[in-house]
Every structure is written in C-alpha cells, then in structure tokens.
Amino acid sequence: MIALSLGEIAEIIGGTLHPASDHDPASIVSGVVDTDSRQMVAGGIFIAKPGEHTDGHRFIGAAIQGGAVLAIVEHLVEDEISQIVVADVIDALAALARAVVARVRAGGDLRVVGVTGSNGKTTTKNFLARILEDEGETIAPVASYNNEVGAPLTMLRITDTTRFLVCEFGASAPGEIARLAGLVHPDVVVELMVGLAHAGGFGGIEETARAKAELIDAASASGTAVLNMDDPRVAAMRAGAEARGLRVLGFGQGSADVRAADIDVTASGTSCTVFVAVPGHVDAQALPLRLQVLGAHHVNNALAAIAAAIALGVAPADAIARLETVRIAERWRMQPMGGDAVRIINDAYNASPDSMAAALRTLAQITGPGERTVAVLGAMSELGEAAGEEHDRIGLLAVRLNIQRIVVVGAEARRLFLAVVGEGSWDGEAVHLPDADAAFDYLKDELRPGDRVLVKSSNSAGLRFLGDRLGESFS
C-alpha cells in the first residue's frame, strides 16, 4: 500500500485512532493490508474481520508476531499495537481502497480495468495481467479475490508506481458489482458472459444480466466497454454503454472488432486465427494465436484480454505473443496433471452449467483414438430453482458426448447421475460415490494407460483436492 500516516487512515475510514506507545498520528505505515494474520509481514495492516466461524480480533496477536503495526478493529483489543476502531471493518476496508486508488490516480498514470461475467473472470484477469505486466507495474487479484473483501485488498496492493490495476468483480446478489466497481470507476470494463452461475442469488438470468451491467454504469465517463458480442445479453449492454459515452469494443467469434476463427483444440493447447479491425485505432490484421491453455472456451477469454489491452494502447501482436507464454489459466482451472499414460485435467475450482459443458466438450475433443474419456463430476452450487434441471442437462450432455466413464461424486450431484443412467449409460459406465475419498479409492484401481480424466465441480464439492491426489498418483 502507499505510505499514509495513522491519522490519515483514521480520517479516511472515519475511525478513532488509539496509537501504540511508540506511535503517534503522524507515524507512517505502508505495509501489506490483509484479513489473514498469516499473511502479515513487517509493517503490515491487519483487518480484524468478524466471520461466520471465527473472529479476526482473536488473531491480532498472531498478526503482531507476523509484523503488523496497525489493526483496524470494531472494538479495542488489549494487544500492544496501534488500532483504529470503526463501526464496520468491511466498510472501512472499502473506504481505504477508494481513497488509495484515487490518490495514486491523481498523482500518476494508473489505469484501472474491471472484469465481470458468469464464467471466465479469473482466466481473463490472468490473461490480461500477463499482457500488461510487460508494459509496466501491474496489480491483479490473487486467485479469485473478487468479493467485498478480496477486491479492496487487491486495490490496496497498488503503489505510487503502479500503471495497471486489474480488478475482478464477482457477485451473488444485485448491487454488489455496483458497490465494488464504484470504488475505482474503471477505465476499461470487460463483460464476458451472462450465465446461470449464482443464479439462485439473483433470482434468474435476466436479473443476473442487470447485475452484470452494473459494471457498465460504474465505468469512468471516458472509458471503454469490452463486450462479448456472442452473448445476446452482453451485446445488449452496448446501448447502455454508448448512452454513457463509453467507447465500445466487441469480441467474439461472429461479427466483432476482435474475433477468432479456425479454432482447433488438442491435448497440448488451443489454436485459432485472431482478426483485429478497430477503425481509427488498429488496422485490419489476421494473427495466429496458440494458447497452451486447454479448451475452446478460453479463446473468448483471450479475445477479451486482447481487446482490453488494445483499449489500453497495447499492439495486438504484442498481446498475442504474451498470451502464448501462459501455461495454465489458474490453479484448478483446466490444469493438466498426471503423466503421459494417465492425464488428469483438474478443473474443479468452480462450476456452472456453461463451464461444466465447456469442460466436457474439451475432454471429448482432446481424447484421441485408443484413449478413454473419464469424467469425474460433482455438484454445481448456487443455481437456485434451476439446479435440478441443469444437473439433468449436464448428465445428458456427458452421455451424448460419449464420455466412456462417468464418476459422479456426492449426494448433491445424485440427480446428475440419475440423468446419466436415464439417458442410457449403465453397466458400469457410470457410478455414484459418496465422497472424494471413495472416488479416489475407486479411480486409483479403475484408471489405466490412455485415460484422459476430467475432474469438474463447484468449489464447495471439494473435488479440486481429489484432482490433486489423482495428479500426484499418476504423475
């Protein structure tokens, strides 16, 4: 974080300062800001966040041992550390992030990008960060830091020399994106897609679309909207963006400023031709792209990153060259594991109907003659009333793609298993197992050379760790 005095921080967040014996209001702090005492380093600022299962105030001592010199708290704690008492530490965190970004913007050339969408946020964020880091100091979220805590913590990692801040904005209810993006008013906003991820919290896909469009409304008045023209609900956001005076860049596989054709998916990566034509900005050109990341669905994420980079002044050829160095999108996202004999694709960090379908299609595409497809599937969470129907749909798709072994894990995914059986997969082709341990015991004996194995579920199902275990066992 940038250097601020204790007094300045207290004023920014509307809190009451209680300096430690060796501090006064003019004392300067500039360390890492975090809610996790284990992440503290010398000079750190600890956010004592109350939680569902524990309370951050209990860990102030551990934060001090890690090097924290300031704690933002909701009540005083006896430990010898400077403390600022506020009514709500999450509100205080947001206020601090807003002020820090505004100060760096006022004093330098910081550009802010906001990325949202039902799927692909983390991959696109990582793609774009890779492109931008060669242009200048770039800050992007760790993993999927995209909520009311993670997004401000990312913002607070900037320094006076940061050129690019890439923010990922997730939401499970209306108003959340507006609140988070409103802290920074991004110069470039990226709308990836509107799907059923978290649909239960929004009340349906149309409400989801309205929530995603909050990012358009929060953009800087002189900014750029990067829109997925393949998604009708995202393409419809163009009118709102133009009404606000935003420049619009479209991406996709149809008619768009940045589009892809000739997509080819193999076990070693995904290739296509990228066509770029932005009148008055980039001359028409066709460029080959060879991603090391698996899956056709990542092409649109790459196109979104290229379009956002163009909006920030990066040449398309440079953006593509940097994308080609990315080996995996993120841990537990289409992550190749195992060995030549048994290959594991661990994609179990999260799952929605769209991402589950895309992963199954990728499995089918990358499996060659004499090789066997194996799908290890868990539940998709936060789908609300659509959960049963969407699990049915994925079960039917797995059978219709001729996935040769389907291993369904967990009681919450049982309906997916029943759909598989109902569609005609039986006689051992599909099994239902109670948990990840049972699935591991089954798979370590079932898998054989030539198997190509997809592990896919929502985070809550815990199958990402099963994927890790299988990857290690068959490495």
mmCIF file of all heavy atoms in Angstrom, residues 372-391:
data_model
loop_
_atom_site.group_PDB
_atom_site.id
_atom_site.type_symbol
_atom_site.label_atom_id
_atom_site.label_comp_id
_atom_site.label_asym_id
_atom_site.label_seq_id
_atom_site.Cartn_x
_atom_site.Cartn_y
_atom_site.Cartn_z
ATOM 1 N N ARG A 372 -9.347 -43.267 -23.600
ATOM 2 C CA ARG A 372 -10.667 -43.339 -22.976
ATOM 3 C C ARG A 372 -10.979 -42.050 -22.220
ATOM 4 O O ARG A 372 -10.136 -41.510 -21.515
ATOM 5 C CB ARG A 372 -10.722 -44.528 -22.010
ATOM 6 C CG ARG A 372 -12.090 -44.750 -21.381
ATOM 7 C CD ARG A 372 -12.131 -46.024 -20.554
ATOM 8 N NE ARG A 372 -11.267 -45.969 -19.380
ATOM 9 C CZ ARG A 372 -11.442 -46.712 -18.276
ATOM 10 N NH1 ARG A 372 -12.446 -47.577 -18.211
ATOM 11 N NH2 ARG A 372 -10.594 -46.605 -17.264
ATOM 12 N N THR A 373 -12.194 -41.558 -22.378
ATOM 13 C CA THR A 373 -12.643 -40.374 -21.656
ATOM 14 C C THR A 373 -13.251 -40.778 -20.326
ATOM 15 O O THR A 373 -14.095 -41.673 -20.251
ATOM 16 C CB THR A 373 -13.685 -39.601 -22.480
ATOM 17 O OG1 THR A 373 -14.702 -40.505 -22.927
ATOM 18 C CG2 THR A 373 -13.054 -38.927 -23.669
ATOM 19 N N VAL A 374 -12.815 -40.085 -19.268
ATOM 20 C CA VAL A 374 -13.341 -40.309 -17.925
ATOM 21 C C VAL A 374 -13.699 -38.952 -17.332
ATOM 22 O O VAL A 374 -12.847 -38.061 -17.265
ATOM 23 C CB VAL A 374 -12.305 -41.015 -17.014
ATOM 24 C CG1 VAL A 374 -12.887 -41.252 -15.625
ATOM 25 C CG2 VAL A 374 -11.845 -42.322 -17.641
ATOM 26 N N ALA A 375 -14.950 -38.794 -16.913
ATOM 27 C CA ALA A 375 -15.388 -37.548 -16.290
ATOM 28 C C ALA A 375 -15.738 -37.805 -14.840
ATOM 29 O O ALA A 375 -16.576 -38.660 -14.536
ATOM 30 C CB ALA A 375 -16.595 -36.973 -17.025
ATOM 31 N N VAL A 376 -15.090 -37.072 -13.941
ATOM 32 C CA VAL A 376 -15.353 -37.149 -12.503
ATOM 33 C C VAL A 376 -16.077 -35.859 -12.137
ATOM 34 O O VAL A 376 -15.477 -34.776 -12.147
ATOM 35 C CB VAL A 376 -14.044 -37.304 -11.705
ATOM 36 C CG1 VAL A 376 -14.352 -37.479 -10.221
ATOM 37 C CG2 VAL A 376 -13.228 -38.472 -12.235
ATOM 38 N N LEU A 377 -17.354 -35.959 -11.840
ATOM 39 C CA LEU A 377 -18.209 -34.786 -11.744
ATOM 40 C C LEU A 377 -18.849 -34.656 -10.365
ATOM 41 O O LEU A 377 -19.349 -35.641 -9.814
ATOM 42 C CB LEU A 377 -19.313 -34.853 -12.805
ATOM 43 C CG LEU A 377 -18.848 -35.065 -14.250
ATOM 44 C CD1 LEU A 377 -20.040 -35.210 -15.181
ATOM 45 C CD2 LEU A 377 -17.938 -33.930 -14.699
ATOM 46 N N GLY A 378 -18.833 -33.440 -9.847
ATOM 47 C CA GLY A 378 -19.523 -33.127 -8.606
ATOM 48 C C GLY A 378 -20.599 -32.096 -8.842
ATOM 49 O O GLY A 378 -20.863 -31.677 -9.975
ATOM 50 N N ALA A 379 -21.206 -31.636 -7.766
ATOM 51 C CA ALA A 379 -22.353 -30.737 -7.863
ATOM 52 C C ALA A 379 -21.950 -29.341 -8.311
ATOM 53 O O ALA A 379 -20.834 -28.885 -8.081
ATOM 54 C CB ALA A 379 -23.061 -30.666 -6.515
ATOM 55 N N MET A 380 -22.913 -28.672 -8.951
ATOM 56 C CA MET A 380 -22.814 -27.248 -9.257
ATOM 57 C C MET A 380 -23.659 -26.513 -8.224
ATOM 58 O O MET A 380 -24.838 -26.838 -8.033
ATOM 59 C CB MET A 380 -23.352 -26.959 -10.666
ATOM 60 C CG MET A 380 -22.598 -27.674 -11.767
ATOM 61 S SD MET A 380 -23.344 -27.394 -13.409
ATOM 62 C CE MET A 380 -24.841 -28.392 -13.299
ATOM 63 N N SER A 381 -23.072 -25.534 -7.560
ATOM 64 C CA SER A 381 -23.772 -24.862 -6.463
ATOM 65 C C SER A 381 -24.403 -23.553 -6.909
ATOM 66 O O SER A 381 -24.132 -23.052 -8.003
ATOM 67 C CB SER A 381 -22.811 -24.612 -5.299
ATOM 68 O OG SER A 381 -21.759 -23.763 -5.711
ATOM 69 N N GLU A 382 -25.257 -23.002 -6.055
ATOM 70 C CA GLU A 382 -25.847 -21.669 -6.200
ATOM 71 C C GLU A 382 -26.676 -21.497 -7.474
ATOM 72 O O GLU A 382 -26.704 -20.429 -8.069
ATOM 73 C CB GLU A 382 -24.759 -20.586 -6.143
ATOM 74 C CG GLU A 382 -24.001 -20.582 -4.824
ATOM 75 C CD GLU A 382 -22.999 -19.448 -4.745
ATOM 76 O OE1 GLU A 382 -23.429 -18.282 -4.818
ATOM 77 O OE2 GLU A 382 -21.797 -19.731 -4.611
ATOM 78 N N LEU A 383 -27.384 -22.558 -7.873
ATOM 79 C CA LEU A 383 -28.230 -22.469 -9.065
ATOM 80 C C LEU A 383 -29.696 -22.239 -8.723
ATOM 81 O O LEU A 383 -30.520 -22.085 -9.631
ATOM 82 C CB LEU A 383 -28.093 -23.746 -9.905
ATOM 83 C CG LEU A 383 -26.717 -23.988 -10.527
ATOM 84 C CD1 LEU A 383 -26.709 -25.290 -11.314
ATOM 85 C CD2 LEU A 383 -26.306 -22.833 -11.418
ATOM 86 N N GLY A 384 -30.041 -22.238 -7.445
ATOM 87 C CA GLY A 384 -31.414 -21.979 -7.048
ATOM 88 C C GLY A 384 -32.380 -22.995 -7.626
ATOM 89 O O GLY A 384 -32.099 -24.204 -7.663
ATOM 90 N N GLU A 385 -33.523 -22.526 -8.121
ATOM 91 C CA GLU A 385 -34.555 -23.411 -8.643
ATOM 92 C C GLU A 385 -34.123 -24.128 -9.908
ATOM 93 O O GLU A 385 -34.729 -25.131 -10.296
ATOM 94 C CB GLU A 385 -35.831 -22.612 -8.919
ATOM 95 C CG GLU A 385 -36.492 -22.058 -7.650
ATOM 96 C CD GLU A 385 -37.755 -21.268 -7.962
ATOM 97 O OE1 GLU A 385 -38.069 -21.105 -9.164
ATOM 98 O OE2 GLU A 385 -38.424 -20.831 -7.009
ATOM 99 N N ALA A 386 -33.088 -23.636 -10.569
ATOM 100 C CA ALA A 386 -32.627 -24.262 -11.812
ATOM 101 C C ALA A 386 -31.709 -25.451 -11.570
ATOM 102 O O ALA A 386 -31.316 -26.135 -12.522
ATOM 103 C CB ALA A 386 -31.901 -23.237 -12.675
ATOM 104 N N ALA A 387 -31.364 -25.740 -10.310
ATOM 105 C CA ALA A 387 -30.337 -26.752 -10.010
ATOM 106 C C ALA A 387 -30.681 -28.117 -10.584
ATOM 107 O O ALA A 387 -29.853 -28.755 -11.243
ATOM 108 C CB ALA A 387 -30.112 -26.836 -8.505
ATOM 109 N N GLY A 388 -31.884 -28.613 -10.329
ATOM 110 C CA GLY A 388 -32.243 -29.946 -10.795
ATOM 111 C C GLY A 388 -32.173 -30.069 -12.300
ATOM 112 O O GLY A 388 -31.541 -30.988 -12.855
ATOM 113 N N GLU A 389 -32.790 -29.133 -12.994
ATOM 114 C CA GLU A 389 -32.811 -29.160 -14.457
ATOM 115 C C GLU A 389 -31.410 -29.052 -15.043
ATOM 116 O O GLU A 389 -31.082 -29.741 -16.027
ATOM 117 C CB GLU A 389 -33.685 -28.014 -14.954
ATOM 118 C CG GLU A 389 -33.806 -27.921 -16.460
ATOM 119 C CD GLU A 389 -34.663 -26.738 -16.896
ATOM 120 O OE1 GLU A 389 -35.429 -26.217 -16.066
ATOM 121 O OE2 GLU A 389 -34.554 -26.358 -18.076
ATOM 122 N N GLU A 390 -30.565 -28.210 -14.450
ATOM 123 C CA GLU A 390 -29.218 -28.036 -15.002
ATOM 124 C C GLU A 390 -28.334 -29.245 -14.746
ATOM 125 O O GLU A 390 -27.503 -29.599 -15.587
ATOM 126 C CB GLU A 390 -28.587 -26.766 -14.443
ATOM 127 C CG GLU A 390 -29.258 -25.491 -14.914
ATOM 128 C CD GLU A 390 -29.256 -25.343 -16.440
ATOM 129 O OE1 GLU A 390 -28.254 -25.738 -17.074
ATOM 130 O OE2 GLU A 390 -30.254 -24.845 -16.976
ATOM 131 N N HIS A 391 -28.490 -29.915 -13.625
ATOM 132 C CA HIS A 391 -27.753 -31.156 -13.402
ATOM 133 C C HIS A 391 -28.218 -32.234 -14.378
ATOM 134 O O HIS A 391 -27.409 -33.022 -14.883
ATOM 135 C CB HIS A 391 -27.889 -31.619 -11.948
ATOM 136 C CG HIS A 391 -27.004 -30.870 -11.003
ATOM 137 N ND1 HIS A 391 -27.380 -29.701 -10.397
ATOM 138 C CD2 HIS A 391 -25.732 -31.116 -10.581
ATOM 139 C CE1 HIS A 391 -26.394 -29.255 -9.636
ATOM 140 N NE2 HIS A 391 -25.377 -30.097 -9.727
#
